[in-house]
Amino acid sequence: MVKKTVADEYEMYRVQKLGFLGRKDKTGIVYNQNITLKGIPEEALEYQVNGKSALEWIIDRYQVSVHKSSQLRNDPNDYSREVGNPRYIIDLIKRIITVSLETNKIVANLPALEIIE
């Protein structure tokens, strides 16, 4: 039996660039070469802020990048280490999906807005 080290765990959950399964297939996310998340309900993409779903925002932002002019490196994996949780990003994605679905339910059950003129 091979014992996993803490470094192995961080490497297992390391993100380089997230992406949906395909241009039109948003039911899953390729997390990294080890992990693909599947079964994402389409309704999770319906909760949008400024024309983009919360899930799409995370996919766009949570990737390793280098700012062109300053050459500063942005690596979301650093925060996983800072908080001591190698699964931080994958758990965040799961929470974003849950919040999106629950928000949709709440909004759907709100009473109609009465405007008195």
Side-chain angles (χ1 to χ4, degrees):
M1 180 174 171
V2 176
K3 185 175 180 186
K4 282 190 172 186
T5 66
V6 172
D8 292 336
E9 244 191 291
Y10 280 101
E11 200 53 40
M12 173 75 173
Y13 293 104
R14 180 168 184 67
V15 167
Q16 190 65 35
K17 181 174 173 72
L18 299 168
F20 285 112
L21 292 176
R23 183 175 229 168
K24 293 189 180 201
D25 186 358
K26 296 184 177 184
T27 62
I29 295 172
V30 177
Y31 183 83
N32 63 22
Q33 66 185 15
N34 304 313
I35 300 168
T36 299
L37 306 173
K38 293 184 179 179
I40 298 171
E42 290 180 24
E43 299 84 36
L45 297 167
E46 291 174 9
Y47 172 64
Q48 296 191 359
V49 178
N50 292 333
K52 187 180 267 193
S53 73
L55 190 54
E56 289 170 311
W57 188 90
I58 294 295
I59 287 173
D60 286 348
R61 299 296 189 274
Y62 277 70
Q63 60 182 303
V64 177
S65 62
V66 177
H67 189 267
K68 289 179 184 176
S69 60
S70 69
Q71 292 300 300
L72 289 175
R73 186 170 192 260
N74 179 25
D75 187 343
N77 301 291
D78 292 343
Y79 189 71
S80 294
R81 288 186 181 279
E82 194 174 307
V83 296
N85 180 2
R87 293 180 47 94
Y88 173 78
I89 298 169
I90 204 166
D91 291 342
L92 174 64
I93 291 169
K94 290 167 39 178
R95 287 192 305 270
I96 291 294
I97 292 167
T98 300
V99 166
S100 296
L101 293 170
E102 293 301 314
T103 300
N104 287 342
K105 287 179 192 174
I106 292 168
V107 170
N109 288 313
L110 289 174
L113 180 64
E114 269 188 58
I115 300 176
I116 301 172
E117 294 184 33

